[in-house]
Amino acid sequence: MEYLIGFNVAWREALDILLVAAIYAYIIHLVRGTRAVAVIYGLVLVLLVYYLSNELGLYSLNWLLTNFLGSIVLIVIILFQGDLRRALAQMGAGRFWKKPQLSEAIVEELSQAVMALAKAKVGALIVIERYEPLGDVVERGVPLDAVITASLLTTIFQVGTPLHDGAVIIRRGRIAAAGCILPLSSKLKAQSLFGTRHRAALGISEESDSLSIVVSEERGTVSIAMGGRLTTSLNDLRLRRVIKNALER
């Protein structure tokens, strides 16, 4: 009986350690390559200074850092509110048990449309929903619920049409809406090579796990934004590969 009790305790401790390790691994995966990494380094540095101030008897500095770290939970929530929201949204969206899929035919139609728009130097912005729902973005646009075809996409973005300035949202393998307004990123403000479409693509990728395809009307280049990163100058082959790889993650 005593052996079984000891075994149960060991089993619970092992489960506890595994759960904590999984949470830490998920947090590291979530913030890797984002601005949150720099904030974490800053917090680690503050903790190191706090430890040294206590060891060296720097009482004023230690008192200041003690009061600062006393509100560390609130500070973390404020600093990482976007990342925490995104993590909870990913968990609620069922990231771990379902995968967004686009058939080969849809990827072909997307690629044809994007390359035709790039060749004609017609600006375009297409957002593919992945795990996190973009219902709030879809509601701000014009609902379509249409089959994805190259001809429809190129028509939507033709200059002079009512919907050409907004973004097209692709959800569950269909065009959910067009003319959608997206949040703008502050990263590209000082870079004249990138306009509002690129900032919008980057902005929605910072707030969700979506994949955004941008066609520049000035240069006729194709770019992709995902996870707060912008990849530029894509050709047809690389575009198809990036779309497939993103949806397989």
Side-chain angles (χ1 to χ4, degrees):
M1 186 67 179
E2 292 179 358
Y3 172 78
L4 291 176
I5 294 174
F7 179 79
N8 287 334
V9 170
W11 176 80
R12 290 178 179 176
E13 290 175 352
L15 178 62
D16 190 25
I17 293 172
L18 287 174
L19 289 174
V20 172
I23 290 172
Y24 274 113
Y26 181 70
I27 292 173
I28 292 172
H29 172 74
L30 185 68
V31 303
R32 184 177 57 188
T34 68
R35 291 171 294 181
V37 175
V39 177
I40 291 174
Y41 286 153
L43 289 175
V44 171
L45 180 60
V46 169
L47 290 172
L48 179 60
V49 173
Y50 171 73
Y51 172 78
L52 292 175
S53 67
N54 186 54
E55 291 295 317
L56 299 176
L58 305 175
Y59 301 112
S60 297
L61 180 59
N62 185 262
W63 174 86
L64 180 65
L65 293 177
T66 298
N67 285 276
F68 172 77
L69 294 174
S71 305
I72 190 65
V73 175
L74 180 60
I75 292 170
V76 167
I77 292 175
I78 293 173
L79 290 176
F80 296 101
Q81 56 181 325
D83 298 285
L84 290 172
R85 182 199 60 78
R86 182 174 175 182
L88 293 173
Q90 288 178 357
M91 293 172 64
R95 179 185 180 93
F96 299 105
W97 56 81
K98 69 176 184 178
K99 288 186 177 183
Q101 295 289 339
L102 289 182
S103 65
E104 291 286 342
I106 292 177
V107 174
E108 174 69 22
E109 294 291 333
L110 271 174
S111 179
Q112 285 184 15
V114 169
M115 290 303 156
L117 290 166
K119 185 177 181 180
K121 291 190 176 180
V122 175
L125 176 52
I126 301 171
V127 180
I128 303 173
E129 180 186 87
R130 297 181 66 232
Y131 298 99
E132 296 180 39
L134 299 175
D136 55 331
V137 178
V138 171
E139 289 175 358
R140 296 197 294 266
V142 177
L144 294 180
D145 191 24
V147 176
I148 299 173
T149 63
S151 58
L152 178 56
L153 286 171
T154 53
T155 300
I156 289 173
F157 290 110
Q158 289 303 314
V159 178
T161 59
L163 303 178
H164 83 280
D165 273 337
V168 162
I169 308 298
I170 292 179
R171 166 187 274 185
R172 302 187 190 98
R174 295 178 67 86
I175 300 176
C180 299
I181 306 301
L182 306 182
L184 299 181
S185 172
S186 59
K187 285 185 177 179
L188 304 176
K189 274 187 176 181
Q191 301 186 37
S192 58
L193 288 177
F194 303 108
T196 304
R197 283 191 180 89
H198 292 84
R199 291 180 58 198
L202 205 56
I204 194 65
S205 76
E206 291 171 347
E207 296 191 5
S208 71
D209 65 345
S210 60
L211 172 69
S212 300
I213 306 172
V214 193
V215 178
S216 170
E217 60 184 328
E218 290 83 9
R219 300 180 305 279
T221 56
V222 178
S223 305
I224 276 187
M226 185 174 173
R229 297 179 180 178
L230 188 68
T231 305
T232 61
S233 302
L234 298 176
N235 57 24
D236 183 39
L237 182 61
R238 288 190 64 197
L239 176 64
R240 295 167 189 260
R241 187 184 301 131
V242 170
I243 293 174
K244 291 178 182 178
N245 290 341
L247 296 178
E248 289 174 357
R249 292 183 184 180

